């Protein structure tokens, strides 16, 4: 299964995002994002199955959780 | 040994606290929010779980607005110094602990002035005095929710309403009330609430926190210290958002894990049940001393709380607490880091003896303390 990763501002926000997604039965894992993939240096993200990407973005936005797409 | 110094730190803790601290130290004590391996992530999950527990306890829905500190003093310094600017005026009550008095006094060197309102003469007098002391540049009101010296709890809902009406920052020191009084951060218009983990929340020493309202995060809050945050490594400034903005350096993961267990324990027992229990013990001791010649009690007699403050005729407060210690009873004498309160109570010269309770104390222990006190005073 292909996976997709969104970057969050911190481990705290990644864990919050994971909790939100899990309430809607979207399984995800918190991961350390490769520093080269974001502009700010070290950060965290959540990884989930690619087919959940649209729903995940929608749920995070609804819950005022800011995320960013990875550069590469 | 009978431990009755719970306003300083509660002892013992629930078994689940000891167990969780050990479980953390042995199994998942990685550095939270730093690495991507399982041990670090598990530590970060526990920290986040504790943020959620704290947020729920104060009826807010934003765990990310809970920042962990090492005690309430650190949290209060962060709130007061982080939100005050040169030219501001701050109002503090005459029941504040030095953890409020000293940072406010220190801000005097940065052009911040302060005034003191009377919180020891009833709610209406407090509100009247506060209104009278407001200035156009009053930016902040600080209130200890419950005094650490006498059983007086300030009307934070009414103070919060006044703050909201005048656009004033409201900081609450919940050192003595967290875990004993139900506090709704938003209903009380609290900008920032500070508390230790090791008192009424039954966590280990080294745990404390500040919880911000959504409103607070719209203001620029200065940091107390700067350092590693695990994110934004190439930025020279601290991250702009809480909690990482205020959590430079490695967190005290075992202490926070223990705090998480402590909060679970008090929620299992029930905050109101804990308050009832401690009030029952306080009232028992208060009534016994009030009906015995040779003892002077301080503070209002008709309030609720978990401290009893007294002196015995012909014996200094420290001499009395030392003698109790020799007999296996732990209490605290002196000024309890609250000089303004002792001045108001008339104990500013020699201090007084404070007895403070927890959920683990019993009526038998109170009776034993009373017997020891009578024996010491007879001798």
């Amino acid at each position: 299964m292909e996976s997709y990763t969104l970057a969050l501002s911190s481990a705290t926000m990644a864990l919050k995002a994971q909790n939100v997604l899990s309430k809607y039965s979207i399984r995800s894992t918190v991961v350390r994002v490769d520093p080269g993939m974001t502009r700010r240096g070290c950060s965290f993200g959540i990884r989930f199955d690619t087919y959940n990407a649209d729903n995940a973005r929608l749920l995070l936005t609804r819950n005022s959780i800011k995320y960013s797409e990875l550069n590469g | 040994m009978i431990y009755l110094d719970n306003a300083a730190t509660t002892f013992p803790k629930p078994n689940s606290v000891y167990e969780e601290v050990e479980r953390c130290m042995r199994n998942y004590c990685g550095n939270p929010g730093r690495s991507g391996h399982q041990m670090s992530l598990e530590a970060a999950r526990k920290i986040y779980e504790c943020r959620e527990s704290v947020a729920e306890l104060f009826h807010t829905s934003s765990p990310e607005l809970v920042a962990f500190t090492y005690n309430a003093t650190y949290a209060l310094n962060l709130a007061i110094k982080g939100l005050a600017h040169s030219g501001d005026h701050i109002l503090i009550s005459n029941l504040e602990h030095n953890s409020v008095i000293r940072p406010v006094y220190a801000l005097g060197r940065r052009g911040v002035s302060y005034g003191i309102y009377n919180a020891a003469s009833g709610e209406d007098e407090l509100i009247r005095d506060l209104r009278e002391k407001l200035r156009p540049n009053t930016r902040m009101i600080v209130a200890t929710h419950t005094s650490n010296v006498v059983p007086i709890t300030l009307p934070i809902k009414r103070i919060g309403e006044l703050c909201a009406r005048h656009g004033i920052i409201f900081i609450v020191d919940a050192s003595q009330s967290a875990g004993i009084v139900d506090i709704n951060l938003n209903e009380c218009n609290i900008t920032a609430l500070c508390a230790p983990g090791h008192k009424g929340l039954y966590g280990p020493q080294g745990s404390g926190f500040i919880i911000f309202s959504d409103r607070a995060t719209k203001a620029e809050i200065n940091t107390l210290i700067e350092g590693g945050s695990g994110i934004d490594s190439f930025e020279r400034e601290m991250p702009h958002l809480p909690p990482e903005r205020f959590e430079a350096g490695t967190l005290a993961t075992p202490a926070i894990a223990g705090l998480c267990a402590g909060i679970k324990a008090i929620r299992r027992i029930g905050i109101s049940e804990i308050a009832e229990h401690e009030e029952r013990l306080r009232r028992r001791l208060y009534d016994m001393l009030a009906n015995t010649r040779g003892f002077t009690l301080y503070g209002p007699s008709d309030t609720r709380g978990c401290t009893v403050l007294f002196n015995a005729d012909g014996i200094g407060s420290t001499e009395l607490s030392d003698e109790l210690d020799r007999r296996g009873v732990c209490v605290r004498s002196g000024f309890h880091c609250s000089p303004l309160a002792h001045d108001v109570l008339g104990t500013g010269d020699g201090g007084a003896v404070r007895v403070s309770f927890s959920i683990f104390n019993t009526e038998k222990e109170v009776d034993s303390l009373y017997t020891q006190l009578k024996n010491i005073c007879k001798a």
Side-chain angles (χ1 to χ4, degrees), chain A residues 4-36:
Chain A
Y4 195 87
T5 305
L6 291 175
L8 280 302
S9 61
S10 63
T12 305
M13 292 314 291
L15 287 159
K16 181 170 184 169
Q18 186 182 41
N19 281 7
V20 166
L21 297 190
S22 98
K23 279 184 195 150
Y24 292 89
S25 305
I26 297 178
R27 289 186 60 174
S28 64
T29 50
V30 172
V31 293
R32 187 97 170 125
V33 173
D34 190 310

PDB file of all heavy atoms in Angstrom, chain A residues 4-36:
ATOM      1  N   TYR A   4       1.422   8.199   2.339  1.00  0.00           N
ATOM      2  CA  TYR A   4       1.510   9.633   2.086  1.00  0.00           C
ATOM      3  C   TYR A   4       1.833  10.326   3.412  1.00  0.00           C
ATOM      4  O   TYR A   4       1.344   9.923   4.458  1.00  0.00           O
ATOM      5  CB  TYR A   4       0.157  10.140   1.570  1.00  0.00           C
ATOM      6  CG  TYR A   4       0.209  11.516   0.949  1.00  0.00           C
ATOM      7  CD1 TYR A   4       0.527  11.677  -0.398  1.00  0.00           C
ATOM      8  CD2 TYR A   4      -0.074  12.649   1.702  1.00  0.00           C
ATOM      9  CE1 TYR A   4       0.570  12.942  -0.979  1.00  0.00           C
ATOM     10  CE2 TYR A   4      -0.030  13.914   1.136  1.00  0.00           C
ATOM     11  CZ  TYR A   4       0.296  14.052  -0.199  1.00  0.00           C
ATOM     12  OH  TYR A   4       0.341  15.288  -0.770  1.00  0.00           O
ATOM     13  N   THR A   5       2.638  11.368   3.353  1.00  0.00           N
ATOM     14  CA  THR A   5       3.037  12.042   4.596  1.00  0.00           C
ATOM     15  C   THR A   5       2.734  13.534   4.524  1.00  0.00           C
ATOM     16  O   THR A   5       3.018  14.182   3.520  1.00  0.00           O
ATOM     17  CB  THR A   5       4.547  11.847   4.859  1.00  0.00           C
ATOM     18  OG1 THR A   5       4.838  10.456   4.854  1.00  0.00           O
ATOM     19  CG2 THR A   5       4.957  12.425   6.204  1.00  0.00           C
ATOM     20  N   LEU A   6       2.145  14.049   5.591  1.00  0.00           N
ATOM     21  CA  LEU A   6       1.958  15.500   5.731  1.00  0.00           C
ATOM     22  C   LEU A   6       2.854  15.987   6.861  1.00  0.00           C
ATOM     23  O   LEU A   6       2.998  15.299   7.884  1.00  0.00           O
ATOM     24  CB  LEU A   6       0.501  15.841   6.076  1.00  0.00           C
ATOM     25  CG  LEU A   6      -0.538  15.610   4.978  1.00  0.00           C
ATOM     26  CD1 LEU A   6      -1.948  15.871   5.537  1.00  0.00           C
ATOM     27  CD2 LEU A   6      -0.292  16.523   3.767  1.00  0.00           C
ATOM     28  N   ALA A   7       3.448  17.160   6.707  1.00  0.00           N
ATOM     29  CA  ALA A   7       4.323  17.708   7.755  1.00  0.00           C
ATOM     30  C   ALA A   7       3.507  18.578   8.709  1.00  0.00           C
ATOM     31  O   ALA A   7       2.634  19.337   8.288  1.00  0.00           O
ATOM     32  CB  ALA A   7       5.434  18.538   7.132  1.00  0.00           C
ATOM     33  N   LEU A   8       3.781  18.425  10.007  1.00  0.00           N
ATOM     34  CA  LEU A   8       3.139  19.243  11.052  1.00  0.00           C
ATOM     35  C   LEU A   8       4.208  20.098  11.725  1.00  0.00           C
ATOM     36  O   LEU A   8       5.401  19.846  11.555  1.00  0.00           O
ATOM     37  CB  LEU A   8       2.463  18.348  12.085  1.00  0.00           C
ATOM     38  CG  LEU A   8       1.089  17.736  11.771  1.00  0.00           C
ATOM     39  CD1 LEU A   8       0.060  18.820  11.467  1.00  0.00           C
ATOM     40  CD2 LEU A   8       1.117  16.738  10.638  1.00  0.00           C
ATOM     41  N   SER A   9       3.776  21.063  12.488  1.00  0.00           N
ATOM     42  CA  SER A   9       4.758  22.004  13.056  1.00  0.00           C
ATOM     43  C   SER A   9       5.598  21.391  14.176  1.00  0.00           C
ATOM     44  O   SER A   9       6.659  21.896  14.493  1.00  0.00           O
ATOM     45  CB  SER A   9       4.040  23.255  13.569  1.00  0.00           C
ATOM     46  OG  SER A   9       3.126  22.908  14.578  1.00  0.00           O
ATOM     47  N   SER A  10       5.129  20.320  14.814  1.00  0.00           N
ATOM     48  CA  SER A  10       5.859  19.751  15.951  1.00  0.00           C
ATOM     49  C   SER A  10       5.346  18.345  16.235  1.00  0.00           C
ATOM     50  O   SER A  10       4.319  17.927  15.683  1.00  0.00           O
ATOM     51  CB  SER A  10       5.631  20.625  17.201  1.00  0.00           C
ATOM     52  OG  SER A  10       4.258  20.606  17.545  1.00  0.00           O
ATOM     53  N   ALA A  11       6.042  17.657  17.136  1.00  0.00           N
ATOM     54  CA  ALA A  11       5.570  16.334  17.560  1.00  0.00           C
ATOM     55  C   ALA A  11       4.200  16.467  18.219  1.00  0.00           C
ATOM     56  O   ALA A  11       3.322  15.619  18.049  1.00  0.00           O
ATOM     57  CB  ALA A  11       6.564  15.708  18.536  1.00  0.00           C
ATOM     58  N   THR A  12       4.016  17.555  18.976  1.00  0.00           N
ATOM     59  CA  THR A  12       2.726  17.770  19.650  1.00  0.00           C
ATOM     60  C   THR A  12       1.598  17.838  18.628  1.00  0.00           C
ATOM     61  O   THR A  12       0.556  17.175  18.778  1.00  0.00           O
ATOM     62  CB  THR A  12       2.759  19.090  20.456  1.00  0.00           C
ATOM     63  OG1 THR A  12       3.868  19.050  21.338  1.00  0.00           O
ATOM     64  CG2 THR A  12       1.481  19.296  21.242  1.00  0.00           C
ATOM     65  N   MET A  13       1.799  18.621  17.577  1.00  0.00           N
ATOM     66  CA  MET A  13       0.731  18.779  16.587  1.00  0.00           C
ATOM     67  C   MET A  13       0.566  17.505  15.762  1.00  0.00           C
ATOM     68  O   MET A  13      -0.538  17.185  15.315  1.00  0.00           O
ATOM     69  CB  MET A  13       1.014  19.993  15.692  1.00  0.00           C
ATOM     70  CG  MET A  13       0.920  21.328  16.429  1.00  0.00           C
ATOM     71  SD  MET A  13      -0.547  21.505  17.486  1.00  0.00           S
ATOM     72  CE  MET A  13      -1.863  21.590  16.268  1.00  0.00           C
ATOM     73  N   ALA A  14       1.665  16.776  15.558  1.00  0.00           N
ATOM     74  CA  ALA A  14       1.561  15.503  14.834  1.00  0.00           C
ATOM     75  C   ALA A  14       0.706  14.516  15.645  1.00  0.00           C
ATOM     76  O   ALA A  14      -0.143  13.809  15.093  1.00  0.00           O
ATOM     77  CB  ALA A  14       2.944  14.932  14.574  1.00  0.00           C
ATOM     78  N   LEU A  15       0.912  14.504  16.971  1.00  0.00           N
ATOM     79  CA  LEU A  15       0.121  13.608  17.826  1.00  0.00           C
ATOM     80  C   LEU A  15      -1.340  14.048  17.877  1.00  0.00           C
ATOM     81  O   LEU A  15      -2.250  13.223  17.904  1.00  0.00           O
ATOM     82  CB  LEU A  15       0.730  13.562  19.230  1.00  0.00           C
ATOM     83  CG  LEU A  15       2.039  12.763  19.297  1.00  0.00           C
ATOM     84  CD1 LEU A  15       2.865  13.155  20.515  1.00  0.00           C
ATOM     85  CD2 LEU A  15       1.748  11.260  19.311  1.00  0.00           C
ATOM     86  N   LYS A  16      -1.554  15.350  17.877  1.00  0.00           N
ATOM     87  CA  LYS A  16      -2.938  15.855  17.855  1.00  0.00           C
ATOM     88  C   LYS A  16      -3.604  15.436  16.530  1.00  0.00           C
ATOM     89  O   LYS A  16      -4.743  14.972  16.525  1.00  0.00           O
ATOM     90  CB  LYS A  16      -2.950  17.381  18.006  1.00  0.00           C
ATOM     91  CG  LYS A  16      -4.359  17.948  18.010  1.00  0.00           C
ATOM     92  CD  LYS A  16      -4.428  19.406  18.404  1.00  0.00           C
ATOM     93  CE  LYS A  16      -5.885  19.843  18.481  1.00  0.00           C
ATOM     94  NZ  LYS A  16      -6.082  21.146  19.079  1.00  0.00           N
ATOM     95  N   ALA A  17      -2.867  15.589  15.436  1.00  0.00           N
ATOM     96  CA  ALA A  17      -3.408  15.208  14.128  1.00  0.00           C
ATOM     97  C   ALA A  17      -3.721  13.707  14.102  1.00  0.00           C
ATOM     98  O   ALA A  17      -4.781  13.300  13.610  1.00  0.00           O
ATOM     99  CB  ALA A  17      -2.398  15.561  13.043  1.00  0.00           C
ATOM    100  N   GLN A  18      -2.825  12.922  14.651  1.00  0.00           N
ATOM    101  CA  GLN A  18      -3.046  11.476  14.678  1.00  0.00           C
ATOM    102  C   GLN A  18      -4.326  11.132  15.450  1.00  0.00           C
ATOM    103  O   GLN A  18      -5.121  10.296  15.016  1.00  0.00           O
ATOM    104  CB  GLN A  18      -1.849  10.774  15.324  1.00  0.00           C
ATOM    105  CG  GLN A  18      -1.944   9.261  15.268  1.00  0.00           C
ATOM    106  CD  GLN A  18      -0.769   8.591  15.949  1.00  0.00           C
ATOM    107  OE1 GLN A  18      -0.318   9.019  17.015  1.00  0.00           O
ATOM    108  NE2 GLN A  18      -0.253   7.544  15.339  1.00  0.00           N
ATOM    109  N   ASN A  19      -4.531  11.820  16.588  1.00  0.00           N
ATOM    110  CA  ASN A  19      -5.745  11.576  17.380  1.00  0.00           C
ATOM    111  C   ASN A  19      -7.010  11.941  16.602  1.00  0.00           C
ATOM    112  O   ASN A  19      -8.009  11.231  16.664  1.00  0.00           O
ATOM    113  CB  ASN A  19      -5.706  12.384  18.681  1.00  0.00           C
ATOM    114  CG  ASN A  19      -4.823  11.730  19.717  1.00  0.00           C
ATOM    115  OD1 ASN A  19      -4.153  10.745  19.421  1.00  0.00           O
ATOM    116  ND2 ASN A  19      -4.799  12.267  20.923  1.00  0.00           N
ATOM    117  N   VAL A  20      -6.950  13.067  15.892  1.00  0.00           N
ATOM    118  CA  VAL A  20      -8.113  13.490  15.097  1.00  0.00           C
ATOM    119  C   VAL A  20      -8.417  12.445  14.035  1.00  0.00           C
ATOM    120  O   VAL A  20      -9.563  12.009  13.870  1.00  0.00           O
ATOM    121  CB  VAL A  20      -7.858  14.883  14.459  1.00  0.00           C
ATOM    122  CG1 VAL A  20      -8.888  15.179  13.378  1.00  0.00           C
ATOM    123  CG2 VAL A  20      -7.884  15.965  15.532  1.00  0.00           C
ATOM    124  N   LEU A  21      -7.384  12.025  13.317  1.00  0.00           N
ATOM    125  CA  LEU A  21      -7.614  11.054  12.243  1.00  0.00           C
ATOM    126  C   LEU A  21      -8.127   9.723  12.792  1.00  0.00           C
ATOM    127  O   LEU A  21      -9.002   9.098  12.183  1.00  0.00           O
ATOM    128  CB  LEU A  21      -6.322  10.828  11.439  1.00  0.00           C
ATOM    129  CG  LEU A  21      -5.760  12.043  10.681  1.00  0.00           C
ATOM    130  CD1 LEU A  21      -4.635  11.606   9.757  1.00  0.00           C
ATOM    131  CD2 LEU A  21      -6.830  12.767   9.872  1.00  0.00           C
ATOM    132  N   SER A  22      -7.610   9.336  13.952  1.00  0.00           N
ATOM    133  CA  SER A  22      -8.030   8.037  14.500  1.00  0.00           C
ATOM    134  C   SER A  22      -9.504   8.051  14.904  1.00  0.00           C
ATOM    135  O   SER A  22     -10.184   7.038  14.842  1.00  0.00           O
ATOM    136  CB  SER A  22      -7.127   7.616  15.646  1.00  0.00           C
ATOM    137  OG  SER A  22      -7.687   7.931  16.866  1.00  0.00           O
ATOM    138  N   LYS A  23     -10.013   9.235  15.279  1.00  0.00           N
ATOM    139  CA  LYS A  23     -11.453   9.329  15.602  1.00  0.00           C
ATOM    140  C   LYS A  23     -12.308   9.026  14.373  1.00  0.00           C
ATOM    141  O   LYS A  23     -13.471   8.670  14.488  1.00  0.00           O
ATOM    142  CB  LYS A  23     -11.778  10.737  16.122  1.00  0.00           C
ATOM    143  CG  LYS A  23     -11.427  10.919  17.579  1.00  0.00           C
ATOM    144  CD  LYS A  23     -11.839  12.282  18.086  1.00  0.00           C
ATOM    145  CE  LYS A  23     -11.148  12.536  19.416  1.00  0.00           C
ATOM    146  NZ  LYS A  23     -10.879  13.946  19.661  1.00  0.00           N
ATOM    147  N   TYR A  24     -11.721   9.233  13.194  1.00  0.00           N
ATOM    148  CA  TYR A  24     -12.446   8.963  11.956  1.00  0.00           C
ATOM    149  C   TYR A  24     -11.918   7.687  11.280  1.00  0.00           C
ATOM    150  O   TYR A  24     -12.021   7.519  10.062  1.00  0.00           O
ATOM    151  CB  TYR A  24     -12.334  10.165  11.012  1.00  0.00           C
ATOM    152  CG  TYR A  24     -13.075  11.373  11.555  1.00  0.00           C
ATOM    153  CD1 TYR A  24     -12.433  12.277  12.384  1.00  0.00           C
ATOM    154  CD2 TYR A  24     -14.418  11.571  11.269  1.00  0.00           C
ATOM    155  CE1 TYR A  24     -13.106  13.373  12.922  1.00  0.00           C
ATOM    156  CE2 TYR A  24     -15.097  12.667  11.795  1.00  0.00           C
ATOM    157  CZ  TYR A  24     -14.438  13.557  12.617  1.00  0.00           C
ATOM    158  OH  TYR A  24     -15.111  14.627  13.147  1.00  0.00           O
ATOM    159  N   SER A  25     -11.324   6.839  12.128  1.00  0.00           N
ATOM    160  CA  SER A  25     -10.848   5.521  11.668  1.00  0.00           C
ATOM    161  C   SER A  25      -9.773   5.589  10.582  1.00  0.00           C
ATOM    162  O   SER A  25      -9.648   4.661   9.780  1.00  0.00           O
ATOM    163  CB  SER A  25     -12.031   4.673  11.166  1.00  0.00           C
ATOM    164  OG  SER A  25     -13.004   4.584  12.164  1.00  0.00           O
ATOM    165  N   ILE A  26      -9.045   6.685  10.544  1.00  0.00           N
ATOM    166  CA  ILE A  26      -7.899   6.729   9.629  1.00  0.00           C
ATOM    167  C   ILE A  26      -6.650   6.427  10.443  1.00  0.00           C
ATOM    168  O   ILE A  26      -6.290   7.197  11.346  1.00  0.00           O
ATOM    169  CB  ILE A  26      -7.779   8.109   8.932  1.00  0.00           C
ATOM    170  CG1 ILE A  26      -9.014   8.373   8.074  1.00  0.00           C
ATOM    171  CG2 ILE A  26      -6.495   8.189   8.108  1.00  0.00           C
ATOM    172  CD1 ILE A  26      -9.007   9.733   7.384  1.00  0.00           C
ATOM    173  N   ARG A  27      -6.028   5.313  10.127  1.00  0.00           N
ATOM    174  CA  ARG A  27      -4.824   4.925  10.875  1.00  0.00           C
ATOM    175  C   ARG A  27      -3.622   5.683  10.329  1.00  0.00           C
ATOM    176  O   ARG A  27      -3.452   5.826   9.123  1.00  0.00           O
ATOM    177  CB  ARG A  27      -4.592   3.423  10.739  1.00  0.00           C
ATOM    178  CG  ARG A  27      -5.623   2.627  11.523  1.00  0.00           C
ATOM    179  CD  ARG A  27      -5.281   1.164  11.502  1.00  0.00           C
ATOM    180  NE  ARG A  27      -3.958   0.950  12.107  1.00  0.00           N
ATOM    181  CZ  ARG A  27      -3.446  -0.252  12.332  1.00  0.00           C
ATOM    182  NH1 ARG A  27      -4.113  -1.322  12.008  1.00  0.00           N
ATOM    183  NH2 ARG A  27      -2.254  -0.369  12.878  1.00  0.00           N
ATOM    184  N   SER A  28      -2.820   6.189  11.246  1.00  0.00           N
ATOM    185  CA  SER A  28      -1.628   6.927  10.805  1.00  0.00           C
ATOM    186  C   SER A  28      -0.493   6.685  11.787  1.00  0.00           C
ATOM    187  O   SER A  28      -0.724   6.232  12.909  1.00  0.00           O
ATOM    188  CB  SER A  28      -1.936   8.430  10.718  1.00  0.00           C
ATOM    189  OG  SER A  28      -2.248   8.919  12.003  1.00  0.00           O
ATOM    190  N   THR A  29       0.700   7.005  11.368  1.00  0.00           N
ATOM    191  CA  THR A  29       1.842   6.931  12.287  1.00  0.00           C
ATOM    192  C   THR A  29       2.550   8.280  12.303  1.00  0.00           C
ATOM    193  O   THR A  29       2.587   8.993  11.292  1.00  0.00           O
ATOM    194  CB  THR A  29       2.859   5.847  11.860  1.00  0.00           C
ATOM    195  OG1 THR A  29       3.149   6.033  10.473  1.00  0.00           O
ATOM    196  CG2 THR A  29       2.321   4.464  12.078  1.00  0.00           C
ATOM    197  N   VAL A  30       3.061   8.606  13.496  1.00  0.00           N
ATOM    198  CA  VAL A  30       3.839   9.848  13.615  1.00  0.00           C
ATOM    199  C   VAL A  30       5.263   9.522  13.182  1.00  0.00           C
ATOM    200  O   VAL A  30       5.841   8.524  13.606  1.00  0.00           O
ATOM    201  CB  VAL A  30       3.812  10.356  15.073  1.00  0.00           C
ATOM    202  CG1 VAL A  30       4.767  11.535  15.256  1.00  0.00           C
ATOM    203  CG2 VAL A  30       2.395  10.767  15.457  1.00  0.00           C
ATOM    204  N   VAL A  31       5.807  10.366  12.320  1.00  0.00           N
ATOM    205  CA  VAL A  31       7.171  10.113  11.817  1.00  0.00           C
ATOM    206  C   VAL A  31       8.004  11.387  11.894  1.00  0.00           C
ATOM    207  O   VAL A  31       7.472  12.503  11.924  1.00  0.00           O
ATOM    208  CB  VAL A  31       7.146   9.623  10.342  1.00  0.00           C
ATOM    209  CG1 VAL A  31       6.503   8.256  10.237  1.00  0.00           C
ATOM    210  CG2 VAL A  31       6.437  10.639   9.445  1.00  0.00           C
ATOM    211  N   ARG A  32       9.274  11.204  11.966  1.00  0.00           N
ATOM    212  CA  ARG A  32      10.213  12.311  11.864  1.00  0.00           C
ATOM    213  C   ARG A  32      10.370  12.582  10.367  1.00  0.00           C
ATOM    214  O   ARG A  32      10.608  11.653   9.597  1.00  0.00           O
ATOM    215  CB  ARG A  32      11.538  11.853  12.483  1.00  0.00           C
ATOM    216  CG  ARG A  32      12.556  12.929  12.598  1.00  0.00           C
ATOM    217  CD  ARG A  32      12.515  13.502  13.991  1.00  0.00           C
ATOM    218  NE  ARG A  32      13.642  14.386  14.199  1.00  0.00           N
ATOM    219  CZ  ARG A  32      13.516  15.639  14.597  1.00  0.00           C
ATOM    220  NH1 ARG A  32      12.335  16.157  14.837  1.00  0.00           N
ATOM    221  NH2 ARG A  32      14.578  16.384  14.780  1.00  0.00           N
ATOM    222  N   VAL A  33      10.215  13.830   9.980  1.00  0.00           N
ATOM    223  CA  VAL A  33      10.329  14.162   8.562  1.00  0.00           C
ATOM    224  C   VAL A  33      11.786  14.467   8.233  1.00  0.00           C
ATOM    225  O   VAL A  33      12.464  15.159   8.995  1.00  0.00           O
ATOM    226  CB  VAL A  33       9.422  15.372   8.222  1.00  0.00           C
ATOM    227  CG1 VAL A  33       9.640  15.840   6.794  1.00  0.00           C
ATOM    228  CG2 VAL A  33       7.960  15.012   8.445  1.00  0.00           C
ATOM    229  N   ASP A  34      12.233  13.953   7.120  1.00  0.00           N
ATOM    230  CA  ASP A  34      13.604  14.215   6.680  1.00  0.00           C
ATOM    231  C   ASP A  34      13.837  15.727   6.613  1.00  0.00           C
ATOM    232  O   ASP A  34      13.062  16.447   5.983  1.00  0.00           O
ATOM    233  CB  ASP A  34      13.782  13.600   5.279  1.00  0.00           C
ATOM    234  CG  ASP A  34      15.219  13.607   4.842  1.00  0.00           C
ATOM    235  OD1 ASP A  34      15.862  14.685   4.936  1.00  0.00           O
ATOM    236  OD2 ASP A  34      15.700  12.556   4.424  1.00  0.00           O
ATOM    237  N   PRO A  35      14.871  16.231   7.285  1.00  0.00           N
ATOM    238  CA  PRO A  35      15.083  17.680   7.343  1.00  0.00           C
ATOM    239  C   PRO A  35      15.138  18.337   5.961  1.00  0.00           C
ATOM    240  O   PRO A  35      14.754  19.488   5.789  1.00  0.00           O
ATOM    241  CB  PRO A  35      16.427  17.835   8.058  1.00  0.00           C
ATOM    242  CG  PRO A  35      16.634  16.573   8.788  1.00  0.00           C
ATOM    243  CD  PRO A  35      15.912  15.510   8.024  1.00  0.00           C
ATOM    244  N   GLY A  36      15.580  17.602   4.973  1.00  0.00           N
ATOM    245  CA  GLY A  36      15.671  18.173   3.628  1.00  0.00           C
ATOM    246  C   GLY A  36      14.317  18.351   2.965  1.00  0.00           C
ATOM    247  O   GLY A  36      14.200  19.014   1.937  1.00  0.00           O
TER     248      GLY A  36
END
